[in-house]
Amino acid sequence: MTTTTPTTTSASTRRARRGTGRTVLGVVATLVMLFPVYWMVNVSLTPQDRMRKSPPDLFPFHPSLEGYRTVIADQGPYLATSLVISLATVVLTLLISAPAGFALAKLRPRGAGALTFVVLISQMIPGVIMAMGFYAVFLNAGLLDNPVGLVIADSTIAVPFGVLIFSAFMSGVPDEIMQAAKMDGAGTFRTFWAIVLPVSRNAAVTVSLFTFLWAWSDFLYANTLARSSDYQPITLGIYKYIGNNSSDWNAILATAVVASIPAAVLLVAAQRYVSAGVTAGAVKD
Amino acid sequence: MASTLTPVADPARASAPSQVSAPRPRRRRRPERWAAAAFLAPLVVYLVAFYAYPLYRNVELSLRNYTVASFVNGGAQFTGFDNYRTVLSDPVFVQALWHTAVFTLGSLAVQFTLGMALAVFFSAHFRLSGLLRALFLVPWLLPLIVSSSTWAWMLNGQSGVVNAGLHAVGLPEPQWLSSPTWSLVAVLIANIWIGVPFNLVLLHSGLQAISSDVNEAAALDGAGAWQRFRHITFPLLRPVSAITLLLGLVYTLKVFDIIWIMTRGGPSNSSTTLATWSYQLSFGGLIPKFGPGAAVGNLLIVVAFLAGLLYLRYQRKAEL
């Protein structure tokens, strides 16, 4: 007993020390990885006359809010447009993908396999090609420079993902629940609306969060389909800044900081949904 | 599709395709079949109107000689494969193809290696490991315009922090974004930064599924950490690795935003890929060349589909 005690203590202290070592190493790696994010914030707080200083200030020693004042003065309408377009995209995506996911998972229609395959493949189409096609279609349909067109285009980023998430999640809903609902005289729509959809809340949250983030972040469709629109999203607000006054990098990166807020909120508030969304299906648990 | 990562970041941004085993078609009572059709109808209409039709228009664009006037009013002349001949004989085509290959393979190799190292590192639980791993997701979640403009300023030749660092240690300071030698490297660095989290998350969840018993047994037998990784972890992780790489391939072929925002494919096409060249032809110049732009886009779609089919085939095989 007395002989074993010292060895176990030393083993556990060694393990503890290794754990601390790993934490230190992990913190250093994370700091390196997040340096660009820090740099964005640092530059956004740098006053204009120190912007071209060489070497640049590593810390905001002379913090200035002039960049953020410019954001507030210029970017309000862009932020509002992004918010409205992203929310509308979420609604459209849910309307299309939730019923389809339910049908694929629970109603076993003919051609379900083929349809799932088409949905999978449609995710792989490069956005540039879709953008060009939408430009041609919207030009003739009068949807160019129209927020409705942008919502439709943005939703194509998310609908296949939505269908696959809903269908994967809803196939986990026990058939007995469906049967019981039918016994009680509920039709298919009621079963979907009152029973399957409420228990699929997690899937709906995941789909909504990612759809919002993708629509909020979209640059390609906005730059192609809303070039002369009265309603332009924040991604174009930043892009125009870069093009017009490429010296105001504090304003450019202050806008970037503001545009990152939804991603930050998502990470803090819904981290488990994020990981679920990334790994969804790509790896089998 | 945004990029991306999806995981996403467009993936780089990704909408991760989910693993849905196709439900087996089974004969049902008639009303239920109607119900299924009604629930699927919006999706089918949506796919036809907002996927198939734009893609069809794109094919049509590539087979006609479109001008700005005929683009609006119709009546463009049918020219068969003329647009394809034009782009294939353009010297930029070979450049764009080569850059696409370098950009894609370079991104995949570095992202995967770093992602694997980090996944193994984080697979041991230590204090703060969950929090730090979550923070690693940040680059993937940021809008691409945010990360691209931040990197553009960091890599600025005169005032960028990267060159300040290189100067401090006495290394040469390249004009990252304005020199044809370095522009492709510059966009590659930014894309790798965005793609590492995606690889980390997928590989980490793959590692969670591997039982720790095998590793512990090997450790008792005296196998070192590298030996255990080389002979146990890595072989067991092969299916997940393949899926990660193939998904990465599909996403990286699509990358557009990062390159367009940082360099617009320039200077003088030195960082252009098939995706950015296609866009450049259609929307980048004073006179839009919709036909050739669509032709390049359709060539890219063939490559993307081949990568996609490879992924789906592998995924199905891994399931069995």
Side-chain angles (χ1 to χ4, degrees):
Chain A
M1 199 56 181
T2 40
T3 48
T4 52
T5 318
T7 54
T8 43
T9 340
S10 80
S12 68
T13 41
R14 208 183 314 135
R15 200 173 304 142
R17 209 175 297 144
R18 236 182 92 196
T20 316
R22 274 194 183 246
T23 303
V24 172
L25 201 59
V27 169
V28 172
T30 312
L31 290 178
V32 171
M33 187 71 177
L34 294 188
F35 179 77
V37 179
Y38 166 72
W39 199 250
M40 167 173 79
V41 176
N42 181 30
V43 174
S44 76
L45 292 168
T46 304
Q48 194 57 47
D49 54 321
R50 301 181 74 87
M51 195 58 74
R52 294 273 171 185
K53 203 173 142 287
S54 178
D57 292 332
L58 288 181
F59 303 97
F61 289 121
H62 309 272
S64 142
L65 291 178
E66 56 187 88
Y68 288 89
R69 272 195 282 275
T70 318
V71 177
I72 293 166
D74 291 357
Q75 300 287 352
Y78 294 92
L79 287 165
T81 304
S82 273
L83 188 65
V84 172
I85 285 185
S86 306
L87 290 174
T89 307
V90 171
V91 172
L92 178 61
T93 302
L94 291 178
L95 281 177
I96 305 276
S97 60
F102 170 69
L104 288 174
K106 284 287 162 221
L107 303 178
R108 300 182 178 90
R110 280 189 195 168
L115 194 59
T116 308
F117 183 75
V118 169
V119 169
L120 277 170
I121 278 288
S122 63
Q123 287 190 306
M124 291 162 184
I125 304 166
V128 180
I129 294 155
M130 293 295 287
M132 228 179 290
F134 274 130
Y135 184 83
V137 172
F138 285 0
L139 186 73
N140 296 333
L143 284 173
L144 212 55
D145 296 324
N146 182 330
V148 175
L150 194 52
V151 168
I152 291 172
D154 282 351
S155 73
T156 60
I157 310 173
V159 163
F161 173 78
V163 172
L164 297 171
I165 294 280
F166 273 117
S167 121
F169 194 94
M170 287 171 175
S171 48
V173 176
D175 277 331
E176 289 75 23
I177 297 187
M178 305 263 307
Q179 236 102 62
K182 198 184 280 173
M183 295 287 221
D184 291 344
T188 313
F189 181 77
R190 256 200 80 127
T191 314
F192 166 69
W193 183 252
I195 292 169
V196 177
L197 204 54
V199 301
S200 309
R201 214 183 52 221
N202 279 354
V205 173
T206 305
V207 172
S208 304
L209 288 174
F210 274 92
T211 306
F212 186 90
L213 195 64
W214 287 330
W216 178 272
S217 311
D218 163 67
F219 163 73
L220 171 56
Y221 290 143
N223 191 48
T224 315
L225 307 172
R227 313 180 119 194
S228 7
S229 173
D230 296 335
Y231 302 98
Q232 297 190 324
I234 188 67
T235 49
L236 285 192
I238 299 178
Y239 191 59
K240 279 192 183 160
Y241 259 168
I242 304 178
N244 295 343
N245 29 345
S246 55
S247 57
D248 294 348
W249 276 90
N250 53 4
I252 296 171
L253 293 183
T255 320
V257 170
V258 175
S260 309
I261 290 172
V265 171
L266 184 64
L267 191 70
V268 173
Q271 205 238 318
R272 73 198 169 98
Y273 296 106
V274 175
S275 293
V278 181
T279 47
V283 179
K284 220 171 181 184
D285 289 326
Chain B
M1 202 161 303
S3 102
T4 136
L5 213 1
T6 93
V8 0
D10 171 318
R13 206 36 77 110
S15 43
S18 171
Q19 194 143 29
V20 183
S21 50
R24 203 161 278 229
R26 204 194 299 165
R27 269 193 176 277
R28 286 282 174 126
R29 283 180 306 124
R30 187 171 291 245
E32 198 146 318
R33 285 235 306 275
W34 280 110
F39 274 90
L40 283 175
L43 176 67
V44 173
V45 171
Y46 180 92
L47 288 175
V48 170
F50 302 132
Y51 276 96
Y53 186 53
L55 287 179
Y56 161 77
R57 279 289 278 148
N58 222 39
V59 172
E60 212 226 330
L61 282 178
S62 73
L63 296 176
R64 285 174 192 273
N65 179 21
Y66 270 98
T67 60
V68 175
S70 59
F71 199 79
V72 179
N73 305 320
Q77 198 196 342
F78 184 81
T79 53
F81 287 99
D82 269 9
N83 287 321
Y84 291 88
R85 251 171 251 132
T86 309
V87 296
L88 287 174
S89 59
D90 193 323
V92 182
F93 175 73
V94 180
Q95 271 184 295
L97 195 64
W98 171 244
H99 295 155
T100 308
V102 172
F103 183 80
T104 309
L105 297 178
S107 295
L108 286 182
V110 182
Q111 285 169 3
F112 181 78
T113 311
L114 290 177
M116 178 69 92
L118 289 163
V120 171
F121 177 74
F122 279 112
S123 66
H125 287 278
F126 51 90
R127 196 180 304 177
L128 296 181
S129 63
L131 173 73
L132 296 178
R133 202 158 45 80
L135 285 173
F136 258 85
L137 284 173
V138 168
W140 188 76
L141 290 172
L142 288 180
L144 289 170
I145 184 118
V146 168
S147 23
S148 307
S149 45
T150 303
W151 275 102
W153 183 241
M154 284 173 63
L155 290 170
N156 182 286
Q158 282 75 43
S159 319
V161 65
V162 173
N163 275 2
L166 292 175
H167 180 80
V169 293
L171 287 171
E173 302 161 49
Q175 296 296 311
W176 294 99
L177 301 172
S178 53
S179 103
T181 329
W182 290 99
S183 58
L184 190 61
V185 180
V187 293
L188 199 51
I189 292 173
N191 190 55
I192 288 167
W193 184 72
I194 293 163
V196 163
F198 175 71
N199 285 261
L200 164 62
V201 170
L202 288 192
L203 293 170
H204 184 264
S205 74
L207 281 175
Q208 300 300 98
I210 295 178
S211 146
S212 55
D213 298 357
V214 198
N215 255 315
E216 274 161 23
L220 286 176
D221 286 344
W226 171 249
Q227 275 182 314
R228 284 192 313 245
F229 175 76
R230 175 81 185 68
H231 296 290
I232 297 169
T233 313
F234 193 67
L236 284 174
L237 210 55
R238 194 170 291 155
V240 178
S241 302
I243 282 172
T244 307
L245 282 169
L246 286 170
L247 261 184
L249 174 63
V250 172
Y251 294 143
T252 314
L253 282 173
K254 301 203 291 195
V255 169
F256 164 81
D257 306 48
I258 302 161
I259 301 178
W260 191 259
I261 294 161
M262 287 178 72
T263 67
R264 275 186 146 236
S268 57
N269 295 319
S270 58
S271 57
T272 206
T273 59
L274 288 176
T276 56
W277 188 39
S278 164
Y279 199 78
Q280 173 74 41
L281 287 167
S282 294
F283 299 107
L286 285 175
I287 302 157
K289 298 176 187 152
F290 293 113
V296 176
N298 289 330
L299 294 175
L300 174 62
I301 220 174
V302 172
V303 181
F305 272 158
L306 288 179
L309 287 177
L310 206 64
Y311 161 72
L312 290 178
R313 217 185 120 201
Y314 193 89
Q315 201 201 32
R316 197 154 298 178
K317 225 165 65 185
E319 251 178 83
L320 293 176

